[in-house]
Amino acid sequence: MRSHLLILLISLLILKSESINCNEKSHSSDLRVFHINSQCSPFKTSVSWADTLLQDKARFLYLSSLAGVTKSSVPIASGRGIVQSPTYIVRANIGTPAQAMLVALDTSNDAAWIPCSGCVGCSSSVLFDPSKSSSSRTLQCEAPQCKQAPNPSCTVSKSCGFNMTYGGSAIEAYLTQDTLTLATDVIPNYTFGCINKASGTSLPAQGLMGLGRGPLSLISQSQNLYQSTFSYCLPNSKSSNFSGSLRLGPKNQPIRIKTTPLLKNPRRSSLYYVNLVGIRVGNKIVDIPTSALAFDPATGAGTIFDSGTVYTRLVEPAYVAMRNEFRRRVKNANATSLGGFDTCYSGSVVFPSVTFMFAGMNVTLPPDNLLIHSSAGNLSCLAMAAAPTNVNSVLNVIASMQQQNHRVLIDVPNSRLGISRETCT
Ligand SMILES: *[C@@H]1O[C@H](CO)[C@@H](O)[C@H](O)[C@H]1NC(C)=O
Ligand SMILES: *[C@@H]1O[C@H](CO)[C@@H](O)[C@H](O)[C@H]1NC(C)=O
Ligand SMILES: *[C@@H]1O[C@H](CO)[C@@H](O)[C@H](O)[C@H]1NC(C)=O
Ligand SMILES: *[C@@H]1O[C@H](CO)[C@@H](O)[C@H](O)[C@H]1NC(C)=O
Ligand SMILES: *[C@@H]1O[C@H](CO)[C@@H](O)[C@H](O)[C@H]1NC(C)=O
Ligand SMILES: *[C@@H]1O[C@H](CO)[C@@H](O)[C@H](O)[C@H]1NC(C)=O
């Protein structure tokens, strides 16, 4: 059975790649992570830069709504061929025998959901078919997990249904349990949503795996196996080796790693908050009002690490202070704007370094994590932006562009988040 799946995947992937072995085996508890636009991804598109930016704004607004700072629903990024939000995918095997799905990673969500056969409005042709899995079980309304699902309700057949929005999209699903196999690890009775109806364009095609810290997430459900500990290294979209990884469990995690305390917001239980205390540009600590960085469980304010946002967003006073110092230090050149970025330079200029100062941990960004290069116009832009001003936003999001080629360790039992440089391209 395995070999059949392997052949299927190889033939799928061979279309997209010539010399690269996209299907190299994942090791125990260590999954390969692909960028959604890498040669190993069947979702690869030639999406334009501008569209990526548009999509990222929608993601930011969505996270702001999760943090509880926007009352209104999330605006929809206009639906012109925008790629699925979350940018990184891993292979998950679901059911008995296993059905392979390439699910998006999302560290800011708990629930997992997979498009299931019969889904109306799902964009994927790869659907999970529970009727072909001997270990599949639909959860009833009385199941304790039903209370943890977003907006749960009891369907006519007494199964646990739920509705949720994701970015600008909406799904209707019912709770299912089945065996989840990640690399060589088996998680029995894993609870996830089987999508039967979807609308919108921001849903990851083959589903999503929530790595948040709330009750329904993979992390909580695999407590015995992984002890709420994992790390990941996100590859750059352009890298050809694709050896990004998601390492689950306390085994083989880096020992020598800089860490900062993880903060817990009981009202936003999925999000990984940290304490950003300052930002240094070159050797100058920029003057940022403490209120712009302070953690406040009541309002959702503070700083989170997120794998699904593309570039870092800071609340306006923090961004403006950092950007002004950055511009001041770029000699003999004036900044121009491009798309969502307001600090771009053409040709070769010398850029200052930027350091995020977290409680107990300074992280200086290498140029690849700091600058985004536009193919059009030979521009290099500071790859961060202010939170959109049309929302009363209080959330700083450290995004994937700033995390690429770093190992990010989430260690919930010891309440810490670690970072070390690692080449995962
Ligand atoms: C989801 O929302 C739709 C529209 O409001 C409603 O008809 C449906 O019953 C809801 N389903 C669940 C499972 O809550
Ligand atoms: C999985 O669920 C089934 C059905 O409720 C139960 O019989 C079985 O013991 C569970 N397995 C594990 C490992 O929890
Ligand atoms: C890809 O990986 C191989 C073996 O690890 C290494 O020799 C090569 O330099 C890598 N290529 C790139 C472009 O990183
Ligand atoms: C930057 O803009 C100022 C004001 O418009 C101008 O005087 C200066 O020459 C410009 N510098 C460069 C390097 O273009
Ligand atoms: C981009 O700018 C650099 C530095 O000025 C220059 O060397 C390079 O030729 C430029 N590339 C293009 C495509 O204009
Ligand atoms: C971070 O950098 C600041 C300013 O340079 C310094 O005062 C502080 O001691 C550093 N913190 C750590 C944990 O290295």
Side-chain angles (χ1 to χ4, degrees):
M1 207 59 221
R2 268 241 161 140
S3 62
H4 283 151
L5 278 166
L6 239 104
I7 288 162
L8 181 88
L9 277 158
I10 287 170
S11 46
L12 227 166
L13 294 169
I14 237 159
L15 297 170
K16 300 285 177 192
S17 64
E18 293 84 35
S19 55
I20 298 140
N21 181 9
C22 297
N23 210 40
E24 188 186 288
K25 268 267 169 62
S26 287
H27 305 292
S28 168
S29 310
D30 204 336
L31 285 101
R32 302 186 80 201
V33 174
F34 301 109
H35 191 280
I36 201 150
N37 233 14
S38 83
Q39 290 181 61
C40 286
S41 165
F43 311 121
K44 186 171 163 57
T45 61
S46 53
V47 102
S48 78
W49 213 44
D51 278 351
T52 308
L53 302 187
L54 201 58
Q55 166 207 332
D56 198 56
K57 185 169 176 183
R59 168 77 183 178
F60 180 82
L61 293 170
Y62 166 68
L63 287 176
S64 298
S65 76
L66 283 188
V69 292
T70 48
K71 295 282 180 292
S72 58
S73 64
V74 177
I76 299 174
S78 70
R80 292 166 294 104
I82 293 170
V83 280
Q84 299 81 3
S85 106
T87 326
Y88 292 95
I89 48 175
V90 295
R91 182 166 303 145
N93 292 306
I94 306 166
T96 315
Q99 300 176 41
M101 306 291 287
L102 289 168
V103 295
L105 288 180
D106 190 341
T107 54
S108 297
N109 255 276
D110 291 339
W113 27 262
I114 307 289
C116 283
S117 48
C119 174
V120 177
C122 286
S123 62
S124 175
S125 56
V126 180
L127 301 166
F128 175 68
D129 187 348
S131 72
K132 295 212 172 96
S133 168
S134 62
S135 47
S136 170
R137 194 162 69 97
T138 302
L139 286 185
Q140 302 299 295
C141 313
E142 313 82 63
Q145 291 92 339
C146 196
K147 291 188 193 68
Q148 296 161 351
N151 311 312
S153 66
C154 210
T155 69
V156 280
S157 58
K158 296 273 182 283
S159 60
C160 176
F162 67 92
N163 276 346
M164 67 177 284
T165 57
Y166 187 82
S169 299
I171 61 171
E172 250 185 81
Y174 57 94
L175 276 191
T176 300
Q177 275 191 337
D178 209 332
T179 304
L180 171 68
T181 308
L182 295 172
T184 53
D185 292 339
V186 177
I187 300 153
N189 296 346
Y190 177 63
T191 304
F192 61 96
C194 222
I195 307 176
N196 47 23
K197 203 168 165 189
S199 61
T201 53
S202 54
L203 295 175
Q206 293 184 24
L208 177 121
M209 191 162 75
L211 294 177
R213 55 191 305 191
L216 260 191
S217 85
L218 172 71
I219 300 313
S220 303
Q221 291 193 52
S222 61
Q223 188 78 40
N224 293 342
L225 191 58
Y226 299 136
Q227 288 143 50
S228 299
T229 307
F230 67 97
S231 72
Y232 56 84
C233 186
L234 303 175
N236 186 292
S237 60
K238 292 189 217 72
S239 70
S240 53
N241 270 0
F242 316 115
S243 50
S245 82
L246 170 65
R247 191 174 299 155
L248 295 157
K251 238 177 90 187
N252 299 325
Q253 296 298 356
I255 295 160
R256 286 159 158 260
I257 190 167
K258 291 192 279 192
T259 66
T260 189
L262 259 184
L263 307 179
K264 194 171 183 177
N265 182 347
R267 298 177 61 200
R268 307 294 160 214
S269 57
S270 341
L271 303 177
Y272 293 105
Y273 279 93
V274 291
N275 193 3
L276 178 65
V277 293
I279 300 175
R280 204 172 64 206
V281 178
N283 56 8
K284 182 166 197 285
I285 298 170
V286 295
D287 195 8
I288 298 171
T290 37
S291 62
L293 302 178
F295 173 61
D296 181 352
T299 61
T303 303
I304 63 163
F305 268 73
D306 178 47
S307 65
T309 305
V310 181
Y311 58 94
T312 291
R313 301 279 194 157
L314 301 173
V315 300
E316 196 165 29
Y319 177 73
V320 168
M322 180 207 59
R323 177 204 65 191
N324 289 352
E325 183 60 24
F326 189 93
R327 285 181 178 174
R328 211 178 60 76
R329 283 169 182 260
V330 178
K331 300 289 180 211
N332 305 317
N334 289 331
T336 56
S337 291
L338 180 68
F341 301 120
D342 65 6
T343 301
C344 305
Y345 297 92
S346 59
S348 58
V349 293
V350 178
F351 293 101
S353 66
V354 172
T355 302
F356 287 130
M357 297 161 62
F358 300 101
M361 171 178 90
N362 290 339
V363 177
T364 300
L365 298 174
D368 277 351
N369 297 99
L370 191 58
L371 302 166
I372 190 163
H373 305 287
S374 163
S375 46
N378 206 9
L379 285 178
S380 299
C381 301
L382 174 64
M384 297 186 217
T389 47
N390 59 339
V391 284
N392 179 25
S393 181
V394 291
L395 192 63
N396 299 299
V397 178
I398 308 296
S400 67
M401 165 90 201
Q402 278 65 44
Q403 297 177 46
Q404 282 170 9
N405 288 324
H406 286 80
R407 183 151 295 274
V408 177
L409 169 71
I410 306 283
D411 178 354
V412 175
N414 297 305
S415 288
R416 56 187 197 140
L417 180 148
I419 294 197
S420 63
R421 284 195 200 178
E422 179 176 321
T423 304
C424 55
T425 48

